Amino acid sequence: MSTLLPEPARRTAAWCVVLLLVTGVAAVAIWLCVIFKTAVTPVLLALLGTALLGPVYRWLLKMRVQRSLAAGLTCAAVVAVVGGAVYIVVKALIETGDQIVDSVKQAAADLSKYFGAAGTSLEDVASNAKDLLGKFGGTAASGVISGLSVVGEVIAIAVLALLLVFFFLRDSDRALGTMRSLAPRGTADTVEAMGRRAFEAVEGFMRGTTLIALIDAVCITAGLLILRVPGAFGLGALVLIGAYIPYLGAFISGAVAVLVALADRGVIIALWVLGVVLAVQVLEGHVLQPMIQSRTVQMHPAVVMLAITAGASVAGILGMLLAVPVTAAAFGVISELRGRYTAPG
């Protein structure tokens, strides 16, 4: 029957069948990830780390460094860089955290004079911000490694993810050969292309987001310092962390910065801070995103928000961080399949 169909119709039918199969496999994969999230979490983090560190590793190979040594040096470099960055961020948040919380409480008290009960509720939330954050963070992390403290969980996941990054970097060629050998007969090239497209999407997202996060954090911190807003470095650290949660992270960190400025510097400075935050977001959306992430999979903001919501429902804060790169990988696979099976024209 299919032989009676014209070539474009057969290609479209093949595309639909492949899309249904991929959707079924993706559904099963998501279900397995939820069931085995303790083991899956470090693997996903390692894949993100591998995507981010791939260029460094390939540069070392071009310098004729042995594969295992190159992977080891790359991991050592990331430990030094990430460790230093975490130290700076944590130190900034510890030194300015109380000041930021007090400023938010003061802003809520000022707002309560004008908005009554709504402002009072905001003040209550600000007063209990640390408790709320601790409870939410504990809930999100409780299912990762049962029986360990939050600090122990983070250390265990980080160490395991780092070891996996080492092996993913060193044995990437073997992994590609294994994937081709496991693919059904006649589909090895398609499976390889899908894998490469998915990894390229994740690699582009990680590199682009990291660079954009640094630029956003530097610009907003500089603006806050010029405006003499207290806790500028801590607020900049929040911007840096929040950039990995598109839209939502920028909104929350920007709102906190405006509230702090409102409490300590008044309405005029708060409006200037709002202008700085909006200017940086415009710069990101109209200049940085098109320039830096032009080669990555472009997703509609609604898709990004749905992915973040789904990730939060599955794995809390960690799910929010992983949702967008995983979705980018899925869009990369779909794009590859569409290019192979959709009828031209």
Side-chain angles (χ1 to χ4, degrees):
M1 185 70 179
S2 62
T3 57
L4 301 179
L5 296 175
E7 179 64 21
R10 279 188 291 172
R11 289 176 63 88
T12 303
W15 154 249
C16 292
V17 172
V18 172
L19 182 60
L20 288 174
L21 290 174
V22 171
T23 303
V25 172
V28 173
I30 292 174
W31 178 76
L32 291 175
C33 289
V34 174
I35 298 298
F36 300 104
K37 59 182 178 181
T38 301
V40 170
T41 298
V43 174
L44 292 177
L45 292 176
L47 287 173
L48 297 183
T50 303
L52 186 61
L53 298 171
V56 177
Y57 173 72
R58 291 191 290 269
W59 178 78
L60 289 174
L61 290 182
K62 289 181 180 179
M63 300 298 292
R64 300 185 182 278
V65 178
Q66 195 266 344
R67 300 181 66 88
S68 296
L69 180 59
L73 291 174
T74 304
C75 292
V78 77
V79 168
V81 173
V82 173
V86 169
Y87 172 78
I88 294 173
V89 170
V90 171
K91 183 179 179 182
L93 290 176
I94 289 176
E95 291 179 348
T96 61
D98 292 337
Q99 190 176 19
I100 292 174
V101 172
D102 291 340
S103 298
V104 173
K105 289 171 61 178
Q106 182 60 44
D110 294 339
L111 291 175
S112 67
K113 298 177 183 179
Y114 302 100
F115 298 101
T120 304
S121 299
L122 181 60
E123 182 180 6
D124 292 338
V125 172
S127 300
N128 298 289
K130 291 184 177 180
D131 294 336
L132 290 173
L133 182 60
K135 291 179 181 179
F136 182 69
T139 301
S142 61
V144 180
I145 303 178
S146 178
L148 296 178
S149 66
V150 174
V151 175
E153 293 170 5
V154 172
I155 293 175
I157 291 176
V159 171
L160 181 56
L162 185 64
L163 292 175
L164 289 174
V165 167
F166 172 81
F167 291 115
F168 287 170
L169 289 172
R170 191 191 67 176
D171 301 328
S172 56
D173 292 341
R174 295 182 186 178
L176 184 60
T178 301
M179 183 173 63
R180 290 184 63 90
S181 65
L182 294 176
R185 181 179 301 177
T187 63
D189 291 340
T190 301
V191 171
E192 179 182 347
M194 290 166 54
R196 288 185 181 277
R197 192 66 173 267
F199 190 77
E200 287 173 0
V202 175
E203 188 176 44
F205 171 82
M206 288 300 297
R207 284 187 293 176
T209 301
T210 301
L211 181 56
I212 291 172
L214 289 172
I215 295 174
D216 287 355
V218 170
C219 291
I220 291 181
T221 302
L224 295 176
L225 288 173
I226 293 172
L227 295 171
R228 293 184 294 173
V229 175
F233 290 104
L235 293 170
L238 288 177
V239 172
L240 179 65
I241 297 172
Y244 287 94
I245 305 177
Y247 305 111
L248 183 61
F251 172 78
I252 294 175
S253 58
V256 172
V258 172
L259 287 174
V260 171
L262 177 64
D264 284 85
R265 302 282 290 143
V267 177
I268 301 300
I269 298 299
L271 291 175
W272 275 103
V273 171
L274 178 61
V276 170
V277 172
L278 292 178
V280 171
Q281 294 305 312
V282 170
L283 175 67
E284 175 185 334
H286 292 81
V287 179
L288 298 180
Q289 288 280 359
M291 288 180 57
I292 296 176
Q293 293 190 329
S294 59
R295 296 184 179 181
T296 63
V297 177
Q298 301 296 322
M299 293 180 289
H300 192 276
V303 175
V304 174
M305 294 304 298
L306 288 174
I308 292 173
T309 303
S313 65
V314 172
I317 297 176
L318 187 61
M320 296 172 68
L321 294 173
L322 296 175
V324 179
V326 171
T327 305
F331 269 70
V333 172
I334 293 174
S335 178
E336 179 65 28
L337 291 175
R338 184 174 56 191
R340 285 176 173 264
Y341 294 100
T342 300

